[in-house]
Amino acid sequence: IVCKIFSSFGCKILANDITKNSKIEKEYNVNYTSLLSLCEESDIISIHTPLNEKTKHLIDEQLLRRMKNNVMIINTARGAIVNTVDLIQNLKSGQIGYYGADVYEFEKNIFFRNMTNEIIEDKLYLELKKMKNVLITPHQAFATVEALESIAKTTFYNFKCWKNKVETNNDLLKIKVQMNQV
């Protein structure tokens, strides 16, 4: 969807992934390149990757310094993919022009709960929130029609597998099922 949107604005689209998507490559003229080249050449960087051991702090001081001055970073993936301390330093220095995120590295303590009567004491979050070139929303991307449909399909699939005692593709459920069988 992001490729479709950027393509409709006439943007040159660079991508980095462990596997190429030939459909978007052809349909939206996506050019796959190294992560370093993507960071050095892009005016806008939109992050869409799962969080795992290899992607935690993928965007760190080393990559932030290699990005174009005044680059815009949009993170709707997972907060910990971007090293928050390094990001703040580069926002302050002007290296990074803008940061938009639907996620935050330490969101567990802030998002997903009513904090109306509480004082947020997370210094990094408060520092980001006071910057005029930063927009953070409370992890709302899951509320799209596509995401909710995917969640529902996965949930019903997992229940069906569990009911029929059939192995599922969901690793977490596999672990729980295996634990219950012991």
Side-chain angles (χ1 to χ4, degrees):
I1 292 171
V2 170
C3 289
K4 181 179 180 180
I5 292 168
F6 283 144
S7 176
S8 67
F9 284 107
C11 297
K12 175 185 173 185
I13 302 170
L14 301 177
N16 176 267
D17 203 339
I18 55 175
T19 53
K20 292 182 180 182
N21 181 326
S22 57
K23 181 181 177 190
I24 66 165
E25 195 172 21
K26 291 175 188 167
E27 194 168 341
Y28 303 112
N29 197 27
V30 171
N31 299 300
Y32 282 88
T33 187
S34 71
L35 181 59
L36 181 59
S37 292
L38 183 144
C39 289
E40 291 176 337
E41 298 176 35
S42 298
D43 296 306
I44 300 170
I45 298 173
S46 187
I47 303 169
H48 308 270
T49 191
L51 177 63
N52 57 45
E53 290 176 12
K54 292 181 181 178
T55 62
K56 182 174 181 181
H57 290 170
L58 179 69
I59 307 298
D60 62 3
E61 180 66 25
Q62 184 178 347
L63 275 180
L64 291 165
R65 291 263 177 219
R66 300 294 295 264
M67 293 179 185
K68 282 184 165 184
N69 278 343
N70 222 24
V71 67
M72 176 185 286
I73 301 172
I74 301 168
N75 184 4
T76 57
R78 293 285 182 237
I81 292 170
V82 177
N83 182 310
T84 304
V85 172
D86 294 350
L87 172 69
I88 289 171
Q89 289 172 349
N90 282 276
L91 282 161
K92 284 180 175 180
S93 74
Q95 172 66 28
I96 306 303
Y98 308 92
Y99 183 67
D102 188 47
V103 293
Y104 170 62
E105 185 171 358
F106 308 104
E107 68 188 31
K108 181 180 176 184
N109 301 320
I110 300 170
F111 296 177
F112 311 115
R113 54 185 258 213
N114 184 350
M115 302 229 6
T116 305
N117 297 319
E118 295 181 47
I119 296 172
I120 296 173
E121 295 186 27
D122 183 317
K123 291 178 183 177
L124 295 174
Y125 179 75
L126 293 172
E127 193 163 1
L128 283 171
K129 288 292 285 181
K130 74 179 180 183
M131 294 180 175
K132 293 181 187 224
N133 56 344
V134 173
L135 175 64
I136 300 176
T137 56
H139 209 131
Q140 297 299 306
F142 80 92
T144 64
V145 171
E146 296 85 359
L148 291 173
E149 283 177 359
S150 178
I151 290 167
K153 285 177 185 176
T154 301
T155 301
F156 284 114
Y157 164 78
N158 288 333
F159 277 134
K160 185 177 177 182
C161 289
W162 175 71
K163 179 184 173 197
N164 296 324
K165 296 182 178 164
V166 175
E167 191 170 305
T168 176
N169 292 328
N170 184 321
D171 289 339
L172 185 59
L173 190 57
K174 280 183 194 176
I175 293 168
K176 287 182 180 179
V177 169
Q178 288 171 357
M179 285 174 61
N180 289 336
Q181 291 174 351
V182 175

